[in-house]
């Protein structure tokens, strides 16, 4: 059953021509594009070789060619996520993509951009990792990278990679048959990072059908979403060990919806670290203290090739500096243990966050090139006490899942479950007293729209500030501000009379649009949330954890704020009433009322809920009496001489 079928007008040239939709894995180190053809998801290779070690490259080293053959990876399918910005001999811009760019990295490290994904939707403040680039731009916006071609924005750089993949797909598929694409993003990506990715895709000319979480895509590739008929919720662990990053996600699949229960990882832990560990070991074996840069690079390459070869054979020889070292699987396992232990402690923490036990997990999916290593598979199997799923190429699994989703979205296939994702954090707006009113709570399936009515707080109020927030806490100051706008032109009315309808709409990519409308006058305002910088992964985690940790404290604070607001309302109403009817009070009554007012005002300055509530009670004794007097007076006027008491007695 497919719930969301997106009909794209004006896309297909001929009504009956087959339409294709792409799945794109825009990876930190490598990217690829896949499509469902004849019912089969498959990765699209490059017609023009991307691969240094193949055909016409005569002076290339033989080792890498052998290694490529041994590991059996079709490297033409994997596009290194690298873009080189230079100038040719005539001073004209020269831009290289993929392995051609990679070849320039040594020579021009400052403007051969790798791992641009780490910069997406981030501000300079967020960028705490090492990189060789000169960043330009204000502190709180996404910085650009300085190159001989001028400053290049991360969105623009990503779009070059995406366009390259798009062009590949165009070459492989019939003209005008590509309807759109699903692009994958890490589960922890926030609104800003997702928006940046979407912008990059649109800049590349792609019609973005959906941004999809990488772990969700991997689960889809294994068909873990077609267990929709299952009565019980299914929990899946997606273990993704790539070149430079480690991500683990726990997904719950329940009634057709994938929910991200928890995520964790390391932004600097991956296959590269395994290579470094092998180099360290090799240095020790050979009694080498120091390696110069060239030697180190050589060692690293040899280590990497040995590591990759060990995924297919039990034993390899590592040739470095005219010496040969023997490395077998058991040895390799011992060498990289320290790195794998780190990934396991992250897994355990994430399991705790998700409040799950090992036997709650139905499947473990392996993603990322490094999970080809037998040692990695073994450790994962040990910890989760089950054989992980690794039959689909771990480099391709995310792109394949994205292609399957894309194919469903354009209505080509009705297999699989509902293609729903969820909001990672709650969304809400600021109300009186610095409180957050949540409109959409965390883990709500998207797309979703929620509407709620609000009203004015003051008489004659003609404008209202709509402040949009993200987070799990009750107070504005503890959540993240996503944006604000003002709804103006509200007709002046008594406080509480205006009807302001606020709508939060999250589209299928998790992007938010907020609109506000005063229903009696029809005045209307709205914003698309496009923050200029993003939350870091750890910030998202912190916001989530804070939500749990401070639940009690928040309850107290919310109670306090609400008590204060109630008290202020009471005081304001009284003040208004006194302006009109103070004359009804005796001097004594007036003094009592005044004293109670002053007392409440003093208590309001404290944070003592009980004291404020008591003061409100005291004030109410006097103000209720005053209200009765006023009522009598009004009814007097209305009923010409009948007292309230008489009137109510007669009923
Ligand atoms: P990312 O998702 O970070 O872009 P990948 O998932 O493509 O990265 O993984 C790249 C890593 O996988 C590199 O460290 C590479 O050495 C490693 N790798 C590739 N093939 C193998 C293999 N056959 N055995 C072990 N590791 C491999
Ligand atoms: Mg990856």
């Amino acid at each position: 059953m497919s719930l969301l079928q997106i009909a794209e007008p004006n896309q297909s040239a001929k009504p009956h021509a087959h339409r294709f939709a792409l799945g794109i894995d825009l990876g930190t180190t490598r990217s690829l594009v896949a499509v469902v053809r004849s019912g089969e998801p498959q990765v699209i290779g490059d017609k023009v070789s991307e691969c240094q070690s193949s055909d016409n490259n005569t002076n290339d080293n033989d080792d890498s060619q052998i290694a490529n053959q041994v590991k059996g990876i079709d490297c033409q399918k994997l596009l290194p996520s690298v873009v080189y910005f230079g100038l040719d001999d005539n001073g004209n811009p020269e831009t290289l993509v993929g392995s051609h760019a990679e070849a320039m990295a040594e020579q021009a490290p400052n403007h051969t951009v790798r791992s641009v994904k780490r910069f997406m939707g981030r501000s300079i403040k967020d960028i705490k990792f090492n990189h060789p680039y000169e960043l330009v731009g204000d502190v709180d916006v996404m910085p650009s990278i300085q190159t001989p071609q001028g400053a290049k924005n991360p969105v623009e750089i990503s779009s070059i990679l995406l366009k390259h993949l798009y062009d590949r797909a165009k070459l492989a598929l019939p003209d005008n048959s590509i309807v759109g694409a699903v692009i994958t993003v890490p589960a922890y990506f926030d609104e800003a990072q997702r928006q940046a990715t979407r912008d990059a895709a649109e800049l590349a000319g792609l019609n973005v059908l959906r941004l999809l979480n990488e772990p969700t895509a991997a689960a889809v590739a294994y068909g873990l979403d077609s267990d929709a008929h299952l009565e019980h919720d299914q929990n899946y662990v997606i273990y993704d060990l790539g070149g430079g990053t480690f991500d683990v996600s726990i997904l719950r699949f329940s009634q057709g919806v994938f929910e991200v229960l928890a995520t964790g990882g390391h932004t600097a832990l991956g296959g590269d670290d395994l290579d470094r560990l092998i180099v360290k070991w090799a240095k020790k074996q050979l009694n080498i203290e120091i390696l110069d840069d060239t030697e180190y690079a050589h060692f690293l390459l040899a280590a990497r090739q040995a590591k990759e070869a060990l995924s297919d054979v039990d034993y390899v020889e590592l040739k470095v500096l005219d010496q040969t070292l023997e490395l077998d699987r058991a040895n390799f396992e011992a060498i990289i243990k320290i790195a794998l232990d780190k990934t396991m402690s992250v897994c355990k923490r994430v399991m705790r966050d998700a409040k799950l036990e090992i036997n709650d997990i139905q499947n473990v999916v392996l993603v990322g090139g490094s999970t080809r290593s037998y040692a990695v598979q073994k450790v994962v199997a040990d910890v989760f006490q089950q054989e992980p799923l690794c039959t689909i190429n771990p480099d391709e699994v995310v792109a394949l899942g994205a292609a399957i989703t894309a194919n469903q979205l354009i209505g080509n296939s009705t297999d699989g479950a509902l293609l729903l994702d969820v909001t990672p954090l709650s969304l809400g707006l600021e109300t009186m007293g610095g409180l957050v009113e949540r409109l959409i709570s965390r883990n709500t399936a998207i797309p979703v729209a929620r509407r709620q009515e609000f009203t004015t707080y003051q008489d004659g109020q003609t404008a209202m500030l709509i402040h949009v927030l993200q987070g799990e806490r009750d107070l504005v100051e503890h959540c993240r501000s996503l944006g604000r706008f003002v709804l103006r032109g509200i007709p002046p009315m008594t406080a509480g009379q205006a009807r302001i309808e606020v709508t939060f709409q999250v589209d299928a990519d998790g992007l938010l649009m907020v609109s506000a409308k005063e229903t009696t006058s029809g005045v209307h305002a709205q914003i698309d949330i496009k923050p200029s910088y993003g939350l870091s992964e750890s910030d998202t985690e912190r916001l989530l954890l804070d939500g749990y940790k401070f639940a009690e404290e928040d309850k107290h604070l919310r109670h306090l704020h609400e008590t204060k607001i109630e008290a202020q309302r009471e005081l304001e109403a009284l003040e208004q009433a006194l302006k009109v009817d103070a004359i009804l009070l005796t001097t004594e009554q007036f003094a009592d009322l005044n004293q109670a007012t002053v007392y409440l005002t003093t208590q309001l300055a404290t944070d003592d809920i009980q004291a404020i509530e008591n003061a409100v009670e005291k004030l109410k004794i006097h103000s209720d009496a005053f209200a009765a007097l006023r009522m009598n007076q009004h009814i007097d006027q209305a009923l010409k001489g009948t007292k309230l008491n008489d009137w109510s007695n007669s009923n």
Side-chain angles (χ1 to χ4, degrees):
M1 171 176 46
S2 136
L3 185 77
L4 298 159
Q5 294 207 344
I6 297 183
E8 295 293 331
N10 69 38
Q11 291 288 344
S12 177
K14 284 173 258 146
H16 300 297
H18 192 79
R19 307 176 331 144
F20 294 95
L22 310 175
I24 296 182
D25 173 4
L26 185 60
T28 312
T29 57
R30 297 189 283 190
S31 301
L32 58 166
V33 54
V35 71
V36 175
R37 259 196 285 203
S38 318
E40 281 298 312
Q42 49 189 254
V43 173
I44 300 175
D46 189 2
K47 289 255 165 83
V48 189
S49 171
E50 276 295 329
C51 204
Q52 287 276 306
S53 54
S54 56
D55 27 272
N56 53 6
N57 237 321
T58 44
N59 60 350
D60 213 357
N61 64 57
D62 285 338
D63 285 0
S64 75
Q65 196 167 13
I66 291 162
N68 281 326
Q69 280 164 7
V70 171
K71 64 190 171 173
I73 299 175
D74 181 354
C75 52
Q76 296 181 34
K77 291 177 179 175
L78 298 170
L79 176 73
S81 304
V82 187
V83 184
Y84 161 83
F85 296 96
L87 299 175
D88 67 11
D89 295 341
N90 301 321
N92 295 322
E94 183 182 36
T95 307
L96 301 174
V97 183
S99 57
H100 303 290
E102 214 170 23
M104 303 301 286
E106 210 169 310
Q107 183 182 334
N110 308 329
H111 48 269
T112 303
V113 184
R114 299 169 170 279
S115 304
V116 65
K117 190 168 175 177
R118 295 180 188 227
F119 294 88
M120 291 289 272
R122 297 301 188 84
S123 70
I124 287 184
K125 302 196 286 261
D126 300 328
I127 297 168
K128 298 198 182 89
F129 48 87
N130 289 333
H131 60 79
Y133 314 114
E134 183 195 338
L135 301 183
V136 291
D138 286 344
V139 266
D140 52 359
V141 301
M142 213 190 316
S144 293
I145 293 171
Q146 194 61 53
T147 79
Q149 296 181 24
K152 297 286 172 185
N153 187 285
V155 169
E156 192 183 343
I157 301 170
S158 299
S159 87
I160 293 173
L161 293 168
L162 288 164
K163 178 149 190 318
H164 191 95
L165 295 170
Y166 187 19
D167 288 345
R168 247 187 209 187
K170 280 187 197 161
L171 277 175
L173 298 168
D175 286 351
N176 299 321
S177 64
I178 301 172
V179 181
V182 167
I183 321 276
T184 57
V185 289
Y188 59 78
F189 256 29
D190 67 14
E191 305 262 342
Q193 292 166 300
R194 283 167 200 263
Q195 184 63 54
T197 307
R198 176 178 254 273
D199 289 348
E202 281 169 4
L203 197 59
L206 284 160
N207 171 34
V208 182
L209 300 170
R210 164 86 52 99
L211 299 181
L212 184 68
N213 286 330
E214 287 162 12
T216 306
V220 168
Y222 277 101
L224 298 183
D225 58 336
S226 48
D227 303 337
H229 59 279
L230 287 174
E231 233 170 77
H232 300 290
D233 294 353
Q234 304 284 304
N235 300 309
Y236 306 131
V237 171
I238 317 294
Y239 178 102
D240 180 350
L241 191 62
T245 53
F246 169 62
D247 292 307
V248 58
S249 315
I250 300 187
L251 301 183
R252 168 165 296 164
F253 186 69
S254 165
Q255 299 176 345
V257 177
F258 277 109
E259 178 184 337
V260 180
L261 291 187
T263 66
H266 248 286
T267 45
L269 178 64
D272 299 348
D273 299 273
L274 308 187
D275 303 346
R276 282 193 281 269
L277 286 170
I278 297 175
V279 172
K280 198 170 145 196
W281 165 82
K283 274 169 67 184
K284 209 165 164 194
Q285 297 294 306
L286 299 172
N287 272 325
I288 300 171
E289 290 280 318
I290 299 167
L291 292 170
D292 67 28
D293 285 356
T294 323
E295 286 168 344
Y296 192 72
H298 181 71
F299 263 66
L300 266 186
L301 183 67
R304 179 172 174 164
Q305 288 169 354
K307 170 193 77 176
E308 295 179 2
L310 271 180
S311 299
D312 299 290
V313 294
D314 295 334
Y315 155 93
V316 287
E317 285 181 349
L318 193 73
K319 291 200 177 77
V320 277
L321 302 179
D322 300 327
Q323 307 210 45
T324 303
L325 287 171
E326 293 178 1
L327 184 62
D328 63 17
R329 281 188 173 178
N331 223 335
F332 173 59
E333 214 179 302
I335 294 168
I336 64 167
K337 183 171 184 305
I338 180 167
L340 297 190
D341 283 352
K342 264 193 211 170
T343 70
M344 285 307 135
S345 62
V346 175
C347 286
K348 286 177 185 155
R349 184 167 53 76
V350 170
M351 288 287 288
R352 275 199 304 275
D353 285 354
K355 300 194 173 63
L356 293 180
E357 303 292 333
I358 295 295
N359 51 15
D360 295 325
I361 301 296
Q362 276 71 35
N363 279 293
V364 181
V365 176
L366 295 184
V367 180
S370 299
T371 63
R372 285 169 189 276
S373 283
Y374 175 75
V376 176
Q377 296 170 8
K378 199 169 142 202
V379 166
V380 174
D382 281 353
V383 167
F384 290 101
Q385 293 162 28
Q386 61 173 290
E387 285 307 315
L389 297 172
C390 57
T391 49
I392 301 178
N393 188 335
D395 296 316
E396 300 183 352
V397 62
V398 168
L400 294 173
I404 294 170
T405 300
N407 197 48
Q408 286 174 345
L409 284 173
I410 61 166
N412 279 349
S413 154
T414 51
D415 298 347
L418 318 181
L419 297 157
L420 298 178
D421 241 319
V422 297
T423 52
L425 291 168
S426 302
L427 297 162
L429 51 78
E430 174 169 357
T431 60
M432 279 304 298
L435 289 174
V436 181
E437 179 75 26
R438 247 170 251 160
L439 270 82
I440 297 177
S441 50
R442 178 173 111 74
N443 278 335
T444 303
I446 52 176
V448 62
R450 292 277 155 80
R451 180 174 296 166
Q452 195 160 318
E453 250 187 22
F454 293 86
T455 189
T456 45
Y457 179 67
Q458 277 171 348
D459 285 348
Q461 189 178 336
T462 58
M464 188 182 228
L465 176 75
I466 313 277
H467 184 193
V468 185
L469 297 141
Q470 184 175 39
E472 305 313 304
R473 303 284 307 273
D474 278 351
L475 294 193
V476 169
E477 59 198 89
H478 295 146
C479 287
R480 176 175 185 242
S481 169
L482 291 179
R484 36 182 120 213
F485 65 99
V486 179
L487 175 68
R488 294 180 202 285
I490 303 172
M493 284 180 248
T494 320
Q497 278 205 330
R499 292 270 164 267
I500 291 144
E501 226 174 61
V502 178
T503 308
F504 274 47
Q505 215 172 326
V506 183
D507 71 12
D509 303 327
L511 301 175
L512 172 67
M513 200 266 293
V514 178
S515 59
K517 181 178 165 191
E518 202 287 307
T519 48
T520 57
S521 62
V523 290
H524 180 261
Q526 76 173 56
I527 45 166
D528 293 319
I529 301 294
K530 266 198 186 192
S532 52
Y533 61 91
L535 282 184
S536 65
E537 178 187 356
S538 54
D539 279 347
T540 310
E541 241 171 53
R542 181 178 53 73
L543 284 174
L544 271 179
L545 290 178
D546 281 0
Y548 298 129
K549 204 158 61 199
F550 296 110
E552 273 310 306
E553 186 186 328
D554 276 6
K555 220 158 91 192
H556 170 79
L557 285 175
R558 180 174 276 274
H559 187 181
L560 175 65
H561 276 68
E562 281 170 355
T563 311
K564 284 188 172 184
I565 290 168
E566 262 321 295
Q568 264 149 4
R569 277 224 173 99
E570 198 69 37
L571 286 172
E572 263 163 52
L574 183 62
E575 194 184 313
Q576 293 302 325
L578 281 171
K579 271 190 199 151
V580 189
D581 287 330
I583 190 126
L584 299 175
L585 294 167
T586 65
T587 325
E588 202 182 327
Q589 281 171 326
F590 185 80
D592 284 346
L593 206 50
N594 207 28
Q595 201 190 353
T597 308
V598 172
Y599 181 64
L600 175 55
T601 314
T602 346
Q603 293 310 313
L604 267 178
T606 72
D607 281 344
D608 185 341
I609 296 180
Q610 199 53 50
I612 299 171
E613 280 176 350
N614 289 343
V616 171
E617 281 312 305
K618 271 199 188 120
L619 178 69
K620 273 196 172 155
I621 297 172
H622 301 289
S623 65
D624 283 354
F626 178 38
L629 282 173
R630 298 184 72 207
M631 200 128 90
N632 267 338
Q633 144 109 352
H634 291 289
I635 291 171
D636 261 358
Q637 282 163 0
L639 299 181
K640 296 192 193 88
T642 319
K643 288 271 192 302
L644 176 63
N645 288 345
D646 305 343
W647 186 73
S648 51
N649 285 345
S650 68
N651 264 289

